[in-house]
Amino acid sequence: MDIAHIVGHSMGGVVATSMVLHMDMPPSCLINMEGNLLSSDCGIISRTCTKTPAEVFDAGVRKRLILGEGGEDKASPIHLAWLEMAEKGLSGVFRCCAACLVEVCDSGKAWRDYTMAAERVRALYVSGENSQNTEVDKALSSQNMSHIVCAGVGHFLFVEEPQQCANAVLEFMLN
């Protein structure tokens, strides 16, 4: 039988965790990279877009949410790429996903599911040193859960330092 490793980033970390809990045959491991687990780490973009009426969101708020006040001139290449992806998608889908993420984080379900998944399979949470997820780091430490902090990177760690990120993930997978 082939070995499966489930990896998810950001909102995909919530999806990956859910997959682990619902698979008949558990994977070899779960790797959650900067995934949303707590209310405090559910991003401002998700919270703001769920509170913004659809017609206002469609009229360009989405661009300001992603790029911030500095606009495209001051945006990082990562945020510009994220904006491009968001503008290609249906804004209703984007808003619906954001609302689901806020709900699952605020209710505590994301954290409960991650702890259950970590009991079922080997699990690793990977965060960036410059990330805003300090509460997640504290929660993982208090539960003695596997956690790696990649130096000098933020939320998009696999883009900012792909080799460092890949090495951390591979080391966990192979041990």
Side-chain angles (χ1 to χ4, degrees), residues 12-168:
V14 173
V15 174
T17 298
S18 183
M19 285 177 61
V20 167
L21 292 175
H22 293 94
M23 294 173 76
D24 291 333
M25 296 280 301
S28 176
C29 68
L30 165 64
I31 299 173
N32 187 324
M33 301 172 66
E34 284 282 326
N36 305 100
L37 296 178
L38 302 174
S39 180
S40 61
D41 117 279
C42 187
I44 187 88
I45 292 173
S46 295
R47 290 193 182 284
T48 304
C49 82
T50 61
K51 294 176 184 174
T52 305
E55 61 277 3
V56 174
F57 186 76
D58 290 341
V61 170
R62 141 183 81 210
K63 186 172 187 173
R64 287 192 304 279
L65 286 173
I66 293 171
L67 297 180
E69 294 302 318
E72 292 184 43
D73 293 340
K74 295 186 179 178
S76 71
I78 293 166
H79 283 94
L80 290 173
W82 194 23
L83 174 64
E84 183 180 337
M85 287 187 292
E87 289 186 337
K88 286 181 182 176
L90 300 171
S91 55
V93 172
F94 186 83
R95 290 180 76 250
C96 182
C97 290
C100 290
L101 180 63
V102 169
E103 182 180 325
V104 79
C105 289
D106 285 356
S107 70
K109 183 175 179 4
W111 177 255
R112 285 190 306 275
D113 284 358
Y114 186 75
T115 57
M116 284 192 301
E119 291 172 4
R120 186 169 194 217
V121 300
R122 288 182 334 114
L124 173 68
Y125 189 90
V126 183
S127 62
E129 177 182 42
N130 301 331
S131 172
Q132 303 298 313
N133 296 352
T134 56
E135 295 302 315
V136 172
D137 294 343
K138 289 177 193 174
L140 292 164
S141 295
S142 74
Q143 298 291 317
N144 293 321
M145 299 176 93
S146 295
H147 178 220
I148 293 174
V149 178
C150 293
V153 296
H155 184 70
F156 294 99
L157 55 147
F158 58 90
V159 175
E160 297 170 61
E161 287 290 340
Q163 193 60 56
Q164 178 186 184
C165 185
N167 289 344

